[in-house]
Amino acid sequence: MSGGRIRDRAFTVLGYLGGFALLFLVWHVAATWLARSALFPPPGPVLERAVVLVEDGLLQEAVLASLRRIGQGFLIGSAVGIPVGLAIGSFGPVRAVLEPWTEFFRFIPAVAMITVSVIWFGIGEESKVFLIAYTTVFVVIIATAAGVGAVARDKIRAAQCLGASRLQVFALVVLPATLPLMLTGMRLAMANAFVTIVAAELVASNDGLGKMLWDARLFMQVEDIFVALVTLGLLGFSVDRAFRLAIQAFAGRYNPTM
Amino acid sequence: MSLVVLDKVGKTFRGRTGAWEAVRGFSLDLAEGEFVCLLGTSGCGKTTVLNMVAGFEAPSAGRILLDGAPVRGPGAERGVVFQGHDSLYDWLSALDNIAFGLRLRGLGRRQRRERAAHFLGMVGLGGQGAKHPAELSGGMKQRIQIARALAADPRILLMDEPFGALDAMTRAALQAELTRIWADTQKTVLFITHDIEEAVALSTRVAVMTRGPGGTLKAVVPVDLPFPRDRTSDGFMAAFRQVHALIHAEILA
Ligand SMILES: Nc1ncnc2c1ncn2[C@@H]1O[C@H](COP(=O)(O)OP(=O)(O)OP(=O)(O)O)[C@@H](O)[C@H]1O
Ligand SMILES: [Mg+2]
């Protein structure tokens, strides 16, 4: 890594820190002077509450429960979405048959599927994992299929006139050419998963960040609500950064736009 | 027997804007070991002809024979250098791009890298094999394409304006290199260009097309001069003038 790259990185990190500091400052000002209310605590008490929740092990527990569901559902959704997206992008008849499916289901949001999911799977892990997988799969399918469709014609032709079989064209040209869009689709799906998990846990769960929000509302523990909200934001932010770094390590080497 | 026969070949594209007859009644034979330049104004159908010989597109009229058998699709005996840079693999280094055809053939990693490095040097990019296409200039990408096609050692080379994006000096160097490779390997070459001087310098015959729509063969000018060619010789000048007059008539028409 060159000196310039390190400087760029340091600059980015400083920018993030500054941005977050500003966010908390605005929050502090708003809660202390603009909207003084027991219902809108400033960052200080929220942080204190967070420390207590961590010491009791409750916050970690909630985070782990939510992340585990997101991880499992996301993996299942991607494992189904990638091959289906590849098939839709590669074969006209498959596209003709499956496109109505994807176009139909992607307009039924996972949040709307919560009731069905609870009826089918109960309030155990399965219903949440199903919802995350559901919210993941269509985004990944569409991004992957679009990636296959976007492979430049000459890339495929070049392989053909170098003697590639159909299988070789797929494995050595279509697949790597599709990878950046596939990963971008997964990144979008990951953001969806964070939205979905809270809604799912609000409605039907014994643990997780959504459940924490719900309980806090019942018992009017406003600080707890804010701890959960900030944790969600930070978690989502970190996971998305991690994903972006992974995409860059994977695809950015040859595609500077990633 | 001719190696490649184009017999009254026509191509009509049907699309959003209706039917477009790009090529009509195009007949040309390529003998083994010939170097034929296809010359014509922009949009006259040169790439379309090359795509049909490569087997990427089927003619909508007439037939194309390779060794007496109809062309049924692309094959490794016909190497293609594409117009534009889309055909390079962004995720592979320059060296691995060149080695791609060898990899398809199951050549070992060491062997194919050695061979690829040889062709990398031949196109003047020795030592720059680790760069990815995004890190190469337009002319460099073009040279990687040429090296990739040559490394696969095809019998027929189909080249679509391969030197279009190069500066005059690199261009002259690669023209000389191509002439040498062609003389050494006895490959048959179909070479598209806009450049009359390039066509006369490289080819054994210059095929001039009429302008589109319905581009077809207007005339074939044999260039019976020894290699390497002296571009200031009377013979060269005469051939140049002859081709120039043919092209000029198309521009004015
Ligand atoms: N896939 C296609 N669909 C419809 N029309 C096409 C298609 N490909 C080419 N054409 C048309 O056929 C004609 C010939 O195109 P072609 O690419 O063969 O020209 P060319 O001689 O190679 O031109 P240039 O020197 O600019 O590369 C053009 O009018 C073009 O618009
Ligand atoms: Mg062209």
Side-chain angles (χ1 to χ4, degrees):
Chain A
M1 200 189 278
S2 69
R5 287 272 281 287
I6 291 173
R7 211 163 29 234
D8 285 353
R9 280 276 157 79
F11 196 76
T12 310
V13 170
L14 277 180
Y16 285 166
L17 290 177
F20 276 118
L22 187 67
L23 181 66
F24 281 93
L25 184 70
V26 168
W27 175 10
H28 181 76
V29 169
T32 320
W33 286 295
L34 300 180
R36 291 188 64 129
S37 158
L39 300 179
F40 186 19
V46 172
L47 185 65
E48 280 164 29
R49 180 65 189 151
V51 171
V52 172
L53 285 174
V54 169
E55 276 167 4
D56 294 348
L58 294 174
L59 187 58
Q60 298 94 301
E61 211 172 273
V63 166
L64 279 180
S66 294
L67 279 186
R68 193 173 51 239
R69 289 169 188 142
I70 288 177
Q72 288 171 347
F74 179 76
L75 281 183
I76 294 173
S78 301
V80 174
I82 290 170
V84 172
L86 288 171
I88 287 180
S90 307
F91 306 108
V94 178
R95 168 181 294 261
V97 172
L98 288 187
E99 210 159 53
W101 286 57
T102 58
E103 293 303 306
F104 177 82
F105 281 111
R106 85 187 168 103
F107 289 106
I108 306 178
V111 176
M113 295 292 286
I114 291 178
T115 38
V116 179
S117 148
V118 171
I119 294 173
W120 285 350
F121 300 106
I123 68 156
E125 288 306 291
E126 291 87 349
S127 59
K128 266 84 70 185
V129 173
F130 166 79
L131 286 168
I132 300 295
Y134 176 88
T135 201
T136 301
V137 73
F138 296 107
V139 181
V140 173
I141 287 177
I142 289 163
T144 306
V148 174
V151 179
R153 197 183 52 185
D154 282 352
K155 284 194 173 35
I156 293 169
R157 288 180 167 181
Q160 286 172 337
C161 69
L162 290 166
S165 65
R166 288 185 64 133
L167 192 66
Q168 283 176 319
V169 168
F170 178 77
L172 300 176
V173 179
V174 174
L175 214 49
T178 307
L179 198 64
L181 255 180
M182 203 190 291
L183 288 170
T184 302
M186 288 169 76
R187 189 175 156 212
L188 294 175
M190 182 58 91
N192 284 1
F194 269 84
V195 174
T196 304
I197 192 66
V198 174
E201 288 173 349
L202 273 176
V203 177
S205 183
N206 294 321
D207 51 9
L209 286 167
K211 166 75 168 162
M212 192 172 152
L213 277 168
W214 186 247
D215 286 350
R217 195 201 77 121
L218 281 183
F219 305 115
M220 275 303 281
Q221 291 162 323
V222 184
E223 276 87 6
D224 284 31
I225 294 183
F226 276 80
V227 169
L229 292 179
V230 172
T231 306
L232 264 175
L234 287 176
L235 269 184
F237 177 84
S238 317
V239 171
D240 189 66
R241 283 302 96 170
F243 226 97
R244 231 183 77 163
L245 286 178
I247 293 178
Q248 275 171 349
F250 232 179
R253 189 164 32 103
Y254 60 83
N255 186 347
T257 59
M258 294 296 303
Chain B
M1 187 178 63
S2 296
L3 177 58
V4 180
V5 176
L6 290 112
D7 180 21
K8 300 188 200 68
V9 172
K11 180 73 189 180
T12 302
F13 291 105
R14 281 167 224 288
R16 252 177 338 105
T17 50
W20 180 268
E21 191 181 26
V23 175
R24 182 195 309 156
F26 187 104
S27 296
L28 178 70
D29 290 8
L30 299 186
E32 181 109 48
E34 252 196 309
F35 195 125
V36 174
C37 273
L38 196 55
L39 199 65
T41 53
S42 180
C44 73
K46 303 180 296 293
T47 299
T48 306
V49 168
L50 182 132
N51 279 343
M52 289 188 286
V53 176
F56 299 142
E57 275 161 25
S60 32
R63 49 190 197 140
I64 300 179
L65 305 178
L66 176 68
D67 269 333
V71 166
R72 283 201 200 293
E77 73 290 337
R78 282 158 290 153
V80 177
V81 175
F82 294 83
Q83 189 175 15
H85 308 307
D86 277 352
S87 75
L88 287 179
Y89 302 122
D90 316 288
W91 55 92
L92 298 178
S93 67
L95 196 70
D96 287 336
N97 264 286
I98 298 173
F100 192 80
L102 308 171
R103 176 174 174 196
L104 295 175
R105 248 169 258 172
L107 211 68
R109 195 182 169 80
R110 252 187 83 108
Q111 267 180 305
R112 64 178 193 244
R113 292 215 147 183
E114 255 165 43
R115 206 174 143 75
H118 168 73
F119 285 95
L120 188 71
M122 179 181 286
V123 295
L125 291 174
Q128 305 202 55
K131 288 185 179 173
H132 283 252
E135 300 161 330
L136 297 170
S137 73
M140 288 158 89
K141 284 188 227 180
Q142 206 58 33
R143 286 184 271 163
I144 298 298
Q145 263 211 76
I146 295 167
R148 176 174 70 178
L150 287 174
D153 195 25
R155 255 174 98 193
I156 306 172
L157 261 177
L158 306 170
M159 308 178 85
D160 198 346
E161 298 187 34
F163 302 151
L166 302 176
D167 65 282
M169 276 181 300
T170 312
R171 197 181 172 112
L174 283 176
Q175 285 172 351
E177 192 63 46
L178 183 61
T179 297
R180 198 189 57 70
I181 292 167
W182 168 71
D184 284 357
T185 58
Q186 309 289 304
K187 288 187 198 308
T188 309
V189 184
L190 182 62
F191 184 107
I192 295 178
T193 178
H194 280 132
D195 182 344
I196 301 173
E197 184 182 331
E198 180 168 78
V200 176
L202 295 177
S203 59
T204 54
R205 289 193 296 159
V206 180
V208 181
M209 287 181 75
T210 63
R211 65 174 188 173
T216 192
L217 198 62
K218 178 180 169 119
V220 178
V221 178
V223 187
D224 216 354
L225 301 168
F227 290 96
R229 286 181 174 161
D230 173 3
R231 299 185 186 204
T232 55
S233 69
D234 290 344
F236 196 96
M237 298 288 193
F240 184 96
R241 267 195 295 275
Q242 199 181 346
V243 175
H244 186 270
L246 288 163
I247 285 282
H248 207 64
E250 283 311 307
I251 296 167
L252 294 178

